[in-house]
Amino acid sequence: MDIPFLDPGVPPTAIPTASFAPSPFLELSQKTREPLYIVRSSDGRLGASTLPPNLSGGDLHAVATLPPLYPEWLGDRAFQETHGCRFAYVAGEMARGIATPSMAVAAARAGLVGFYGSAGLSPQRVHEGIAEIQSALGTQAPNWGANLIHSPNDPALETAVCRLFQQRGVRRVSASAFMALTPLVVELAAKGLSRDPATGTVRRLTHIFAKVSRAEVARQFMTPAPQRMLADLVAQGILTAEEAELATTIPVAEDITVEADSGGHTDNRPLSVLFPIIQQLRDELVAGHGYGRNIRVGAAGGLGTPAALAGAFAMGAAYVVVGSVNQSAAESGQPLSVRRMLAELASTDVTMAPAADMFEMGVKVQVMKRGTMFPFRAQRLYDLYCRHSGLDDLPATERAMLERDVFQAPLEEIWRQTREHFTVRDQAEVTRAEADPRHRMALVFRWYLFNAARWPMLDDATRRHDFQVWCGPAMGAFNDWVKGSFLQAAENRTVEQIARNLLEGAAVVTRAQQMRTAGLPVPAAAFTWIPRRLA
């Protein structure tokens, strides 16, 4: 039953109606940009309307008002103010250029923060990517950045990329895979610090987004840089004494990305467990150090549906980071054939496999398993590495299988190619491998792991069953959600349409939950947003 009521400010031709049956609540939950008034009838029933009741009397009485809810209002407003974006949403930095310069540009133009996936690329390629972004957005655009990944097997590359970021004016850097602070990260965070003469607050030149999945690592980024590290950087002439002094008053990073069950490097932690732990640690450190500004804690990993984003924001996420899903977008570095494979995945079509960059350490990455033999072949290589002292120690049957099915070439040929590569890149690796047969075996096995990530991007059909595609379960959740909509086809997926629909849907889910909390019998369909083309 609907009951009309009048408001002094509403003309007689626009008599509002309060809805008391569940079916109209579905439509009302979609109108997030309008206030919603919760009313109670004289017989005690709760209803809702988009127009206010007459508060001077009558059969309806105001119970509560739900203010407008725009997607722009989800998250921490300080995030948008600091990073010059419209939405508290980051298009994540998928490595090896999968998050292309054009993806970062498209994200920035859509009002997001876009990160270039520079990890794993040569300094020359990183330089070219940064130049492409700056050519499209200008050198002063604030809402983009690039990735600095910890590279224990190639410290020279990590140093070169760090220096390049400073030379090219990259003002937002996502630091990932770090288990401890390094002088390079501290240098990026502290270089260019200054004090605002008007307010006295410390101004950053470079903003570090620290991607973490462990509290002990998060603590290092949320505290000031170690005094000894700062002193060493001053002694080397890298930092000034003033920059070092200012660095002791602020955390290394003010944007902490809590990475849960994501694609690529991940600890597979549930976001609902990990996020509150890091958030509580943040509260303790902010209070303990007396910071003048709060540290923003964002959420990443497993975010592929509006409900997932709404849940992250409800937990208190200042911003969200979406990665795996964007790998299927038109701006991705993956070819259409791979994007179509991704668009067909279920949430269970992913698994863990040995990582190329930390193979000997036993570190794993989360990858696609449907349509590829890579995770199983990579695990076989690691098992052989653990059991044997070198290539010559491999059983004849195992060696024959590797040469036929995995490497598709004699192992001597693979070592020749590997030796040529490291002779140019890092002669020390060649010297060590020639003296240590087990290290030589590791380098040969890493040849397969490294190239398996290249073959998808090259669309090498002869190596389709060896494709290594980093991916988390969020990809499957996203595919389930968009089934039957225009976003089901990989050809229609763009960074902007993915983001706009996820954010719009998150606002709808949040509004539906607000209505249910107010006591309204909200139908289950109110928590669903059907993707559509959004301008």
Side-chain angles (χ1 to χ4, degrees):
M1 176 183 178
D2 292 337
I3 301 176
F5 54 85
L6 287 174
D7 179 84
V10 179
T13 56
I15 298 176
T17 299
S19 299
F20 291 84
S23 55
F25 296 154
L26 174 59
E27 180 183 355
L28 291 174
S29 69
Q30 307 283 307
K31 298 180 177 180
T32 62
R33 288 170 173 77
E34 302 176 27
L36 188 66
Y37 300 91
I38 311 300
V39 297
R40 189 183 301 278
S41 66
S42 58
D43 59 0
R45 291 174 302 126
L46 284 176
S49 172
T50 56
L51 292 173
N54 183 353
L55 301 181
S56 61
D59 292 334
L60 298 173
H61 303 278
V63 175
T65 300
L66 302 181
L69 177 60
Y70 288 74
E72 291 89 335
W73 297 353
L74 297 170
D76 189 339
R77 303 286 180 84
F79 182 85
Q80 287 100 313
E81 293 169 1
T82 301
H83 303 298
C85 55
R86 179 180 172 187
F87 303 99
Y89 181 111
V90 176
E93 65 285 5
M94 294 173 288
R96 292 269 187 94
I98 295 173
T100 60
S102 61
M103 180 177 286
V105 169
R109 286 176 172 168
L112 321 172
V113 174
F115 274 98
Y116 170 38
S118 50
L121 300 179
S122 68
Q124 180 60 34
R125 289 235 1 231
V126 175
H127 182 279
E128 292 168 357
I130 293 170
E132 181 180 338
I133 295 170
Q134 292 179 330
S135 175
L137 299 177
T139 58
Q140 302 303 313
N143 57 327
W144 71 274
N147 179 215
L148 178 70
I149 191 169
H150 184 42
S151 305
N153 289 322
D154 199 345
L157 174 62
E158 191 175 323
T159 300
V161 171
C162 173
R163 298 284 185 267
L164 180 59
F165 286 171
Q166 295 182 65
Q167 294 166 9
R168 295 293 304 185
V170 178
R171 300 307 181 207
R172 278 148 189 86
V173 175
S174 178
S176 58
F178 285 87
M179 296 303 294
L181 278 182
T182 66
L184 286 175
V185 172
V186 172
E187 175 185 338
L188 280 171
K191 190 68 178 174
L193 289 178
S194 63
R195 192 175 294 280
D196 189 317
T199 64
T201 58
V202 177
R203 296 181 298 198
R204 293 181 183 271
L205 181 64
T206 302
H207 296 264
I208 302 295
F209 284 65
K211 188 171 281 188
V212 302
S213 56
R214 294 174 178 269
E216 63 270 23
V217 178
R219 177 183 293 275
Q220 297 177 64
F221 281 97
M222 291 193 287
T223 53
Q227 291 271 11
R228 182 174 179 179
M229 203 173 285
L230 291 169
D232 287 345
L233 291 170
V234 171
Q236 296 171 46
I238 295 174
L239 295 181
T240 67
E242 181 185 5
E243 288 168 339
E245 174 61 29
L246 292 175
T248 65
T249 67
I250 59 174
V252 173
E254 289 182 271
D255 294 283
I256 305 295
T257 301
V258 177
E259 185 178 37
D261 196 8
S262 64
H265 285 283
T266 178
D267 284 339
N268 302 110
R269 304 284 188 242
L271 186 64
S272 59
V273 173
L274 182 60
F275 189 88
I277 292 173
I278 305 300
Q279 193 172 42
Q280 180 176 340
L281 177 62
R282 182 273 312 270
D283 294 342
E284 294 171 358
L285 293 174
V286 168
H289 288 278
Y291 295 139
R293 295 190 296 260
N294 201 16
I295 296 174
R296 295 173 290 272
V297 180
L303 302 181
T305 64
L309 266 70
F313 285 125
M315 282 195 295
Y319 59 95
V320 293
V321 180
V322 174
S324 292
V325 169
N326 288 331
Q327 196 168 190
S328 66
E331 300 91 347
S332 164
Q334 298 288 16
L336 180 59
S337 61
V338 176
R339 292 192 281 116
R340 284 174 172 165
M341 292 175 69
L342 289 164
E344 295 176 356
L345 295 186
S347 60
T348 53
D349 290 332
V350 294
T351 191
M352 300 299 292
D357 55 346
M358 301 181 188
F359 176 77
E360 297 93 320
M361 300 165 61
V363 174
K364 294 188 175 185
V365 290
Q366 190 155 221
V367 298
M368 175 180 76
K369 70 177 180 181
R370 180 178 178 180
T372 175
M373 294 294 292
F374 168 78
F376 313 107
R377 289 173 172 173
Q379 185 59 48
R380 184 64 176 165
L381 291 178
Y382 183 71
D383 292 342
L384 291 172
Y385 171 76
C386 291
R387 293 203 305 265
H388 298 282
S389 60
L391 296 175
D392 294 338
D393 186 40
L394 294 174
T397 54
E398 289 282 4
R399 187 180 183 110
M401 181 275 294
L402 293 180
E403 293 181 335
R404 181 187 68 247
D405 299 334
V406 179
F407 293 95
Q408 298 183 14
L411 293 183
E412 290 84 355
E413 170 60 20
I414 302 301
W415 168 237
R416 185 190 66 78
Q417 295 178 25
T418 303
R419 183 174 54 202
E420 286 183 357
H421 168 79
F422 280 106
T423 297
V424 176
R425 184 76 171 269
D426 188 353
Q427 179 61 40
E429 289 284 1
V430 177
T431 303
R432 180 184 170 192
E434 289 177 340
D436 181 356
R438 194 159 185 264
H439 185 61
R440 184 188 314 169
M441 176 171 61
L443 293 184
V444 167
F445 287 177
R446 282 167 55 189
W447 176 97
Y448 173 76
L449 300 175
F450 176 83
N451 282 287
R454 293 178 61 246
W455 292 324
M457 300 182 71
L458 296 173
D459 204 11
D460 187 344
T462 66
R463 282 291 196 167
R464 185 181 180 90
H465 293 301
D466 293 294
F467 281 3
Q468 177 186 182
V469 180
W470 302 311
C471 184
M475 186 77 258
F478 179 84
N479 292 335
D480 286 343
W481 168 53
V482 303
K483 192 173 296 181
S485 76
F486 85 102
L487 283 177
Q488 179 173 347
E491 292 86 342
N492 294 333
R493 298 182 181 184
T494 66
V495 170
E496 179 174 10
Q497 285 301 317
I498 289 170
R500 292 294 298 274
N501 274 278
L502 283 172
L503 288 164
E504 196 75 34
V508 168
V509 171
T510 302
R511 170 51 58 87
Q513 178 60 24
Q514 291 174 341
M515 294 170 65
R516 188 166 68 176
T517 303
L520 297 177
V522 181
F527 292 85
T528 301
W529 169 261
I530 299 175
R532 62 208 66 176
R533 297 184 188 276
L534 297 172

